[in-house]
Amino acid sequence: VFKRVVVGRLASAADDRFAHFTENVLPEIERSAKDDKHTVIFVSSYFDFVRVRNHLHDKNVSFAAISEYSTRSEAMGARRRFHAGELSFILYSERAHFYHRYPIKGIHHMVFYSLPDHPSYYSEMVNLMLTSNDPTASADKLSCMALYTKYDQLKVERVVGTKLVSQLLKSDRAQYTFA
């Protein structure tokens, strides 16, 4: 699912995305985390990563953050606790993926707070979700959501292709589902 975030102007795009995430997306995934705790939130910008991390910490959400500054033992502990169901969320930075490519097991829900700068990371993370689960996790219970704004045209185009980008950015619909 690709969800367009309505923004007024470029200067407020980061604030509008954060507001949309905290007011709409986060409450939705927190409700679903009561039944199924295995959600990864992927953030491409470190500034956004810190902002979301601080917000989750202030709300006392059960999560672990993995960034490029996390030690190997911190990342291993977070991944182990996530797979065991002790944590509801893992907040994962694009730079951590760039440097380490941690195999996170047991992902049932993937939320792209912002699409990655490297388009191959989108497919890598989705494939990680599809291949890292135990055989009891059915494909119909797995989900992926990506937030984007009209200013993310190049990122969106790299992920969905040239033919679909104008449809996603210019249509009246704010949500698109691809199978």
Side-chain angles (χ1 to χ4, degrees):
V1 176
F2 283 78
K3 287 188 177 185
R4 185 173 54 231
V5 177
V6 178
V7 296
R9 53 197 172 95
L10 181 59
S12 68
D15 294 331
D16 293 342
R17 181 191 310 266
F18 181 73
H20 179 81
F21 179 78
T22 57
E23 295 167 9
N24 300 313
V25 177
L26 187 58
E28 179 184 325
I29 61 176
E30 281 181 309
R31 278 192 300 277
S32 69
K34 290 179 181 167
D35 298 325
D36 191 2
K37 296 185 174 192
H38 298 85
T39 302
V40 170
I41 303 169
F42 184 95
V43 184
S44 64
S45 160
Y46 187 71
F47 299 110
D48 288 332
F49 177 86
V50 170
R51 192 176 196 183
V52 172
R53 182 196 64 198
N54 291 344
H55 180 77
L56 293 174
H57 183 34
D58 291 345
K59 287 190 66 174
N60 293 321
V61 174
S62 167
F63 82 102
I66 300 176
S67 73
E68 64 274 20
Y69 300 113
S70 301
T71 65
R72 192 162 200 71
S73 62
E74 288 172 339
M76 285 177 52
R79 291 173 19 230
R80 181 193 51 76
R81 292 189 345 235
F82 177 76
H83 188 252
E86 297 170 21
L87 297 172
S88 297
F89 305 106
I90 281 190
L91 186 63
Y92 191 52
S93 76
E94 180 172 359
R95 288 177 53 142
H97 189 69
F98 177 84
Y99 288 115
H100 305 290
R101 298 285 205 291
Y102 290 120
I104 302 172
K105 294 184 179 180
I107 303 170
H108 294 180
H109 309 287
M110 176 71 62
V111 177
F112 286 90
Y113 178 85
S114 51
L115 288 169
D117 291 322
H118 300 282
S120 61
Y121 295 175
Y122 179 84
S123 59
E124 286 177 20
M125 294 304 294
V126 171
N127 287 333
L128 187 62
M129 177 177 64
L130 295 173
T131 59
S132 71
N133 282 299
D134 56 49
T136 61
S138 61
D140 59 331
K141 292 190 178 189
L142 304 178
S143 68
C144 180
M145 176 192 315
L147 303 178
Y148 68 96
T149 70
K150 63 184 177 182
Y151 300 112
D152 293 330
Q153 179 175 354
L154 294 175
K155 288 182 174 184
V156 174
E157 183 175 6
R158 289 182 209 130
V159 172
V160 302
T162 306
K163 291 181 181 178
L164 293 175
V165 69
S166 60
Q167 181 181 351
L168 264 69
L169 295 173
K170 295 179 182 167
S171 174
D172 293 336
R173 293 175 48 201
Q175 181 172 316
Y176 290 87
T177 303
F178 297 101

